[in-house]
Amino acid sequence: MLSSHLTAPADGIDSDRIVNTAFLDDYHKCQICHSVLWKPVACKTCEKPYCKTCIDKWLNGKIEKTCPNRCKYEERNCSPLTSTLLAKLEISCIYKTDGCKQILLYDSLERHENQCDYQGKECFGCKQLYPKNFLRQHEQQCDMIKFFCYLCEEDIFQREFSQHLSACLRCRLETMRTEMVDMINKHDNNIKQRLKAAENSQIELNQHMKNLEKTISSTQKNTFYTQSAFWVLLILVIVLFFLGIVLFLSVHDMKDEVKKLSNNYGDMKDKVIKLSNNYDDMNAKCDQRNKLFFWQ
Ligand SMILES: [Zn+2]
Ligand SMILES: [Zn+2]
Ligand SMILES: [Zn+2]
Ligand SMILES: [Zn+2]
Ligand SMILES: [Zn+2]
């Protein structure tokens, strides 16, 4: 269902769209487009009203700005009378041929036509014009519309999209499953390696513990030997000490003995000297006796 209009017209309104034609006369018309005035402005000199777009087109490119009445053109608002006359007009919607039955007053025409459900809108697939209220229905079936698949990042025709999506989703899920399995295997290997390393560490630790136990027991033995040697040495020292005392006492006694012997020796010496003297005396006496005996 092709629409005849894309947007509301910018120039004047066709006279055949006016419903209450009895009101229509030349005051309503633009001298340039000969249609009913649309958004009119006026020439300040001749006071003739023109559609704003018509007079702008008329003046465009002209060096000397003159209105169609050949007077110097200076723009002003159109007269209140013109506005009042225009406001009384009843006009059919521009999308009448597309099905719109609305008849509107001049002042509400633009607002309606901007929102009219029958205005032509372009289908974003096939670029054809459709009435606004039909466009949605058309776009749901349009063969030219493509949807973007976020899974494979490709544009897919609307008619194939749901089929594509389920296939794409399955494919994606399969990929994810494979990735997950890979990831789990990787983690599994990682955990196994760590367990192996932990076991090795445990073995090393046990070895260290054994070595430590050995060291401790040998240290204990050494300590025992050292303690034994200490006690033996102490006993030896004590024994030697007592022996020393005994020796000292013995030496002391022997010293006394020697002293006594020495004294005895002195006495004996004196006695020997005395005896010797006595012997000498005796000897002398003997000699005297002998002499006497001889002389007799
Ligand atoms: Zn005009
Ligand atoms: Zn003029
Ligand atoms: Zn309408
Ligand atoms: Zn289309
Ligand atoms: Zn896809």
Side-chain angles (χ1 to χ4, degrees), residues 25-37:
D25 57 40
D26 285 346
Y27 287 115
H28 296 103
K29 297 211 174 158
C30 165
Q31 274 194 17
I32 299 169
C33 67
H34 305 292
S35 298
V36 176
L37 289 161

Side-chain angles (χ1 to χ4, degrees), residues 123-128 130 135 138-139 141-145:
C123 163
F124 71 89
C126 61
K127 309 292 177 198
Q128 297 286 318
Y130 289 90
L135 187 68
H138 163 76
E139 282 180 343
Q141 298 158 354
C142 180
D143 275 351
M144 298 304 287
I145 289 177

Side-chain angles (χ1 to χ4, degrees), residues 72-90:
K72 188 171 179 289
Y73 182 78
E74 209 178 315
E75 192 174 290
R76 71 162 176 80
N77 290 335
C78 72
S79 68
L81 177 66
T82 312
S83 297
T84 310
L85 288 172
L86 285 171
K88 286 180 180 168
L89 294 179
E90 290 173 355

